[in-house]
Amino acid sequence: MTGSTSGAETRNTQLEVEFEPEETGSPPGNIAEVALNLPLDEALDYKIPDEHQETITPGVRVKVPLGSRTVMGFCVGRKNSSPHKKLRSILEVLDDSPLVDEDLISLARWIADYYCCSLGEALAATVPAPVRRATKSQRLKTEPALELAREVEEVHRAIEDLSPRFSKQAEVLRFVLRSEGPAPIREVRKRARVTRSPITTLIRKGLVRQLDIEVEQLPFAPEGVSDDEEKATPPELTPEQSQALEQIQHHVRTKAFKTVLVLGVTGSGKTELYLRAIENTLAAGRKAIVLLPEIALTPQTVRRFFQRFSRIAVLHSHLSDADRLAHWNRIRKGEADVVIGARSAVFAPVDPLGILIVDEEHEPSYKQQSIPRYHARDLAIVRAKRASAVVLLGSATPSLESFENARTGKFDLTHLSKRVGGRTLPEVQVIDMGKEHAESHRFSLFSRRLTQAMRTTLDRGEQVLLFLNRRGFASIVRCKRCGRVESCPNCDITLTFHQSIRRLLCHYCGTEARLPTECADCGMPGLRYTALGTEHIEEELRELFPDHPTARMDSDSMQGIGSYEKTLTAFGRGEIKILLGTQMIAKGHDFPNVTLVGILLADIGLNIPDFRASERTFQLVAQCAGRSGRGDVRGIVILQAYSVEHPALVSGSRQDFHEFADKELKDRKALRYPPFGRLARIIVRSTKEAAAKERMGLVLHELKGLCERDGIQILGPAPLFRLRGEHRFHILLKAQKADVLVSALHWVRRQVKTDKTTHVLVDMDPSGSG
């Protein structure tokens, strides 16, 4: 790939290659290297027309011909010669100035090399889709405004003539007169308390004129926060927080790269530590990026940042395209000091970058599942190293990779072992559901202990949080006689019944089917519902506790605009007493009146064929438990499971990360799984099973000699369940060092091509093995 380089501190800091500095000072050539968002091995050369010699610089978007079509790409360099004799010309320049700077282009080269994609595919990931699609004019968000159309003296006389008979028109004129520059119409209507009518009349009279102005301050702030309100007073730090902050401040002051793992129990004040670290960074003249998992980007979390800082931008998928574009423009123009966002915010054009915070750094959602398959936490470290910035990785249940890096001294480690305010961790009670069913002679996802605890909690006026990581009404719809299961015709997956719409849905491809009244095989009427989900639990809750408002939070119930924020706001106000949900409710929330958390089927993830299954289960249990007792009353957690002796549940019930990590790391070391080895994954998929098998055989043939030479172990091939009509096979590659795996994946990309029917996908550092 043109210009590919490699080297930075990654998750296990095992791949360390120095970068060669690029030559500077030479005059730009008349040939542009253009990276396209296509799986190409290198950037393509195009001739620069004379009229664009001054405007085409690295980082601008251009339109170029490719075959019979026109495509958009990024200029990534200029040169004087090309090995190709006949070059086609650039058709159009789309930007007046670069969308991405040299630093981000360099980072994209690293991504392309390490995550085995093209430079164009990597660059496309650095810029939000609304920005890539926007024209020059669209990149500037505008709104209608009013300005005076007459001299000031004439306006004063007009105000006297209009008052008091046409008071609304007079009030509009007064507001525009007081404004420094054009006054946004939305502000005029809000402040003057008028409708559109008096504004239209004044425009017709020629006293004011309407124009479009660029939006400087975005009307984005969580409910209850205004731009002009007094900023919140920081709370007093605990001794542990003060010690951790001093450790972080040292690195901020010296402007030296360092990664710090903040291992803090739930409720220990990690967010306050982030806020103080950001304050120190801003005081030093540098800026901050804060990454949060998408599900933790709650209004409650974002509000805390708005209450402390003024110049904030937010980047995540819940914003409209127009707002994402406007926020990104503010960042690019240097008008935002703090950027908050999900994983793609790691690319925000912040300069100078002083601190990069990755909250809940263990979250699997930081791993991108489409090309380029980067991990935002690892990229945060790479980017911070290049900017001589500080990285904070925060979690109550850090990934074992990060924890091992801290144990071995590659990262700094700071502990927050106590909750703020002297609060204690909740009491955890474990219920063996096998014994519960035998003793109660009934099947229910609510144990007798949980049901009684909920009644007691609700009677005291407190709130309950219930967690079940399975949505829908029932995941399995089965015939009572022959056992036939309703399955997706496109995937090897059962269809889930959704009671609210009386339909069967596939949660992978979206296929819908009506609910049959009888078995299609044996004709037996009536079907049995098993593997019950959140929708069924919600129905049962309303029967058990009809006097207590209940709400459900999962991807099915939270599809309306603002529904997520409305539900959390209502719960925070106490209008909802029982909140049931999937992973959406497991983290990022701080509700002091929640004193009981129930975890239903806590062992549901242990049977997944993935070496991280135990780690994920422990993290989920500990994070859910951490939602309880964050106020003045000590919380209770009731953990229900069948495999209650499993180490992940035993340590999770004790909320003992170190106990879990010590055992799990020993097992990982014995098997040479991360963090004691590195993994890569290759998936072949095709609508024809024979074609997928044949292409996987070709992959194995190409890898055989390479793996024997470089000490790479091949696990598989193994079939995966059919998905969206495609048959899939995969292999895992395991090695001690990352660089040999990266080389192997690049070799496969070059030697085994993807075609229209059969696709070969490569993934460095996959998030799982199943």
Side-chain angles (χ1 to χ4, degrees):
M1 181 174 297
T2 301
S4 292
T5 53
S6 175
E9 182 179 355
T10 60
R11 175 163 55 215
N12 295 322
T13 59
Q14 293 174 344
L15 179 60
E16 303 227 359
V17 182
E18 292 300 320
F19 292 90
E20 295 184 5
E22 298 180 0
E23 294 183 9
T24 58
S26 57
N30 61 354
I31 297 171
E33 297 173 283
V34 179
L36 304 179
N37 187 13
L38 295 168
L40 303 174
D41 291 334
E42 58 185 11
L44 303 182
D45 293 344
Y46 286 90
K47 190 189 305 180
I48 301 175
D50 291 341
E51 64 269 24
H52 293 314
Q53 287 291 338
E54 300 297 323
T55 57
I56 292 182
T57 58
V60 301
R61 296 173 303 158
V62 294
K63 280 188 177 179
V64 295
L66 183 69
S68 60
R69 57 193 174 123
T70 299
V71 296
M72 188 274 287
F74 283 91
C75 173
V76 293
R78 292 179 62 160
K79 57 187 182 181
N80 289 307
S81 63
S82 170
H84 308 288
K85 292 184 178 179
K86 293 185 178 180
L87 295 181
R88 303 175 77 177
S89 294
I90 288 173
L91 302 176
E92 185 181 355
V93 182
L94 300 177
D95 304 303
D96 293 326
S97 59
L99 276 194
V100 290
D101 60 19
E102 293 282 3
D103 289 339
L104 279 177
I105 292 175
S106 179
L107 181 63
R109 293 187 191 278
W110 186 91
I111 292 169
D113 181 67
Y114 186 75
Y115 290 107
C116 303
C117 64
S118 73
L119 176 57
E121 290 169 327
L123 275 171
T126 67
V127 180
V131 179
R132 294 200 309 273
R133 293 193 297 263
T135 63
K136 294 177 186 178
S137 59
Q138 288 172 333
R139 289 222 316 274
L140 300 176
K141 186 176 181 180
T142 61
E143 65 175 329
L146 297 177
E147 67 177 3
L148 298 177
R150 303 281 182 86
E151 295 295 329
V152 174
E153 293 79 6
E154 288 186 70
V155 174
H156 280 296
R157 287 197 297 272
I159 292 173
E160 292 176 5
D161 293 341
L162 290 169
S163 299
R165 186 179 175 190
F166 300 104
S167 60
K168 295 296 184 182
Q169 294 179 37
E171 190 59 37
V172 170
L173 284 178
R174 288 191 190 97
F175 185 84
V176 176
L177 188 63
R178 290 195 302 266
S179 299
E180 296 179 2
I185 288 179
R186 61 179 172 84
E187 284 297 321
V188 174
R189 294 184 60 178
K190 179 181 176 182
R191 304 289 184 181
R193 298 180 180 179
V194 298
T195 63
R196 175 75 192 192
S197 178
I199 294 174
T200 303
T201 302
L202 289 172
I203 294 173
R204 189 173 64 249
K205 290 179 176 179
L207 290 168
V208 295
R209 69 171 65 93
Q210 182 174 323
L211 70 162
D212 288 332
I213 61 169
E214 184 179 344
V215 178
E216 296 294 335
Q217 294 296 327
L218 293 171
F220 176 89
E223 185 178 335
V225 178
S226 62
D227 294 334
D228 54 358
E229 75 173 60
E230 187 176 343
K231 296 303 177 184
T233 302
E236 185 177 345
L237 297 180
T238 66
E240 283 186 328
Q241 285 175 314
S242 297
Q243 184 177 353
L245 183 61
E246 180 54 41
Q247 181 181 351
I248 296 164
Q249 276 181 316
H250 168 73
H251 300 305
V252 171
R253 282 195 300 265
T254 58
K255 297 185 178 180
F257 163 72
K258 194 65 185 180
T259 302
V260 181
L261 176 62
V262 181
L263 202 174
V265 300
T266 56
S268 60
K270 292 186 290 295
T271 302
E272 181 58 35
L273 188 62
Y274 303 156
L275 294 168
R276 296 295 183 94
I278 292 171
E279 287 174 357
N280 292 331
T281 302
L282 300 187
R286 306 179 87 186
K287 299 181 180 181
I289 296 175
V290 182
L291 301 186
L292 297 164
E294 192 83 43
I295 57 175
L297 267 167
T298 63
Q300 185 185 43
T301 303
V302 175
R303 185 179 293 116
R304 291 191 64 181
F305 287 88
F306 271 87
Q307 289 172 336
R308 295 282 280 275
F309 306 109
S310 298
R311 291 164 37 105
I312 291 182
V314 182
L315 293 174
H316 61 79
S317 61
H318 296 309
L319 294 175
S320 67
D321 282 359
D323 277 343
R324 289 174 72 189
L325 178 61
H327 278 281
W328 190 87
N329 278 328
R330 287 186 64 222
I331 300 166
R332 183 167 172 258
K333 291 189 294 184
E335 295 173 0
D337 298 325
V338 182
V339 177
I340 306 170
R343 63 173 175 262
S344 62
V346 72
F347 301 115
V350 170
D351 185 46
L353 179 62
I355 193 165
L356 220 164
I357 297 168
V358 186
D359 191 29
E360 308 292 2
E361 65 87 32
H362 65 278
E363 263 294 309
S365 62
Y366 283 126
K367 173 71 172 178
Q368 172 94 347
Q369 297 304 321
S370 58
I371 297 172
R373 292 178 171 82
Y374 66 88
H375 198 296
R377 176 195 59 212
D378 300 345
L379 269 189
I381 295 172
V382 174
R383 186 174 179 190
K385 184 175 185 179
R386 289 158 167 246
S388 298
V390 176
V391 181
L392 295 189
L393 307 179
S395 179
T397 55
S399 66
L400 294 181
E401 289 89 342
S402 294
F403 182 61
E404 181 65 12
N405 276 336
R407 287 209 311 184
T408 55
K410 293 174 183 175
F411 297 168
D412 275 8
L413 176 63
T414 185
H415 282 94
L416 300 177
S417 61
K418 300 180 180 66
R419 282 187 160 183
V420 296
R423 301 182 181 97
T424 57
L425 290 170
E427 172 193 353
V428 180
Q429 302 174 11
V430 180
I431 306 296
D432 185 330
M433 292 304 286
K435 291 181 179 179
E436 172 70 17
H437 297 328
E439 293 172 0
S440 64
H441 303 292
R442 68 186 183 94
F443 178 83
S444 172
L445 288 184
F446 292 103
S447 65
R448 293 165 294 175
R449 177 72 189 89
L450 177 57
T451 305
Q452 182 56 48
M454 290 179 67
R455 286 199 180 97
T456 303
T457 301
L458 295 170
D459 288 345
R460 290 199 303 256
E462 296 159 5
Q463 291 170 289
V464 177
L465 210 60
L466 295 176
F467 172 81
L468 173 61
N469 204 22
R470 186 161 63 199
R471 61 191 177 98
F473 189 87
S475 296
I476 298 176
V477 179
R478 185 193 305 273
C479 174
K480 298 176 183 177
R481 178 192 289 162
C482 71
R484 169 192 163 90
V485 174
E486 297 297 323
S487 300
C488 176
N490 302 313
C491 310
D492 294 331
I493 292 293
T494 60
L495 291 172
T496 298
F497 174 54
H498 287 255
Q499 174 84 305
S500 60
I501 57 175
R502 301 293 297 175
R503 302 284 285 178
L504 296 169
L505 298 180
C506 176
H507 288 172
Y508 286 85
C509 72
T511 292
E512 287 192 32
R514 66 177 183 83
L515 180 69
T517 56
E518 60 183 30
C519 176
D521 286 348
C522 71
M524 175 77 173
L527 299 169
R528 175 176 294 160
Y529 305 115
T530 57
L532 304 178
T534 49
E535 196 177 17
H536 182 278
I537 299 303
E538 181 186 26
E539 187 176 279
E540 195 169 342
L541 281 171
R542 295 190 192 281
E543 293 176 1
L544 286 171
F545 305 100
D547 298 328
H548 299 284
T550 300
R552 171 168 58 95
M553 283 189 66
D554 54 30
S555 56
D556 299 316
S557 61
M558 296 289 108
Q559 293 184 355
I561 297 175
S563 56
Y564 188 49
E565 181 169 356
K566 289 174 185 175
T567 302
L568 290 176
T569 300
F571 189 65
R573 291 172 177 165
E575 297 164 8
I576 296 169
K577 297 300 181 183
I578 305 171
L579 184 60
L580 162 71
T582 54
Q583 292 187 64
M584 283 186 173
I585 67 168
K587 52 188 72 71
H589 307 299
D590 188 348
F591 296 111
N593 200 39
V594 172
T595 58
L596 175 63
V597 168
I599 307 175
L600 313 181
L601 299 179
D603 49 356
I604 196 173
L606 288 175
N607 295 322
I608 297 173
D610 184 348
F611 77 94
R612 298 188 197 274
S614 292
E615 181 182 9
R616 299 264 166 82
T617 298
F618 169 82
Q619 290 166 344
L620 209 49
V621 167
Q623 292 286 343
C624 286
R627 301 312 106 201
S628 182
R630 296 170 81 98
D632 297 329
V633 178
R634 188 186 184 192
I636 295 175
V637 178
I638 296 182
L639 185 157
Q640 299 183 167
Y642 292 91
S643 307
V644 293
E645 299 300 325
H646 193 282
L649 296 183
V650 172
S651 298
S653 65
R654 295 172 181 163
Q655 300 170 83
D656 191 335
F657 171 79
H658 291 280
E659 177 185 70
F660 171 77
D662 287 345
K663 182 186 183 307
E664 186 70 10
L665 284 170
K666 287 177 184 177
D667 294 342
R668 297 270 187 97
K669 191 170 186 178
L671 297 171
R672 292 193 301 121
Y673 274 108
F676 304 103
R678 304 300 289 268
L679 291 179
R681 189 185 193 194
I682 301 175
I683 299 176
V684 176
R685 55 183 175 87
S686 176
T687 53
K688 298 178 180 178
E689 186 175 7
K693 283 183 178 180
E694 181 183 358
R695 193 63 55 91
M696 180 56 79
L698 182 58
V699 169
L700 291 170
H701 174 75
E702 293 293 340
L703 282 174
K704 185 177 179 182
L706 190 69
C707 290
E708 289 176 355
R709 185 193 72 192
D710 293 338
I712 299 173
Q713 181 184 359
I714 300 177
L715 304 177
L720 296 168
F721 65 85
R722 190 166 54 99
L723 183 65
R724 300 182 185 91
E726 292 186 317
H727 299 271
R728 304 181 302 152
F729 293 86
H730 80 137
I731 58 173
L732 282 178
L733 305 181
K734 188 161 63 170
Q736 192 66 31
K737 298 286 187 180
D739 53 354
V740 296
L741 292 178
V742 170
S743 297
L745 294 184
H746 278 297
W747 176 258
V748 168
R749 284 186 73 242
R750 288 192 298 269
Q751 301 300 120
V752 186
K753 296 297 183 182
T754 287
D755 57 39
K756 291 182 179 179
T757 60
T758 307
H759 303 271
V760 180
L761 311 175
V762 300
D763 187 5
M764 186 63 199
D765 296 330
S767 58
S769 57

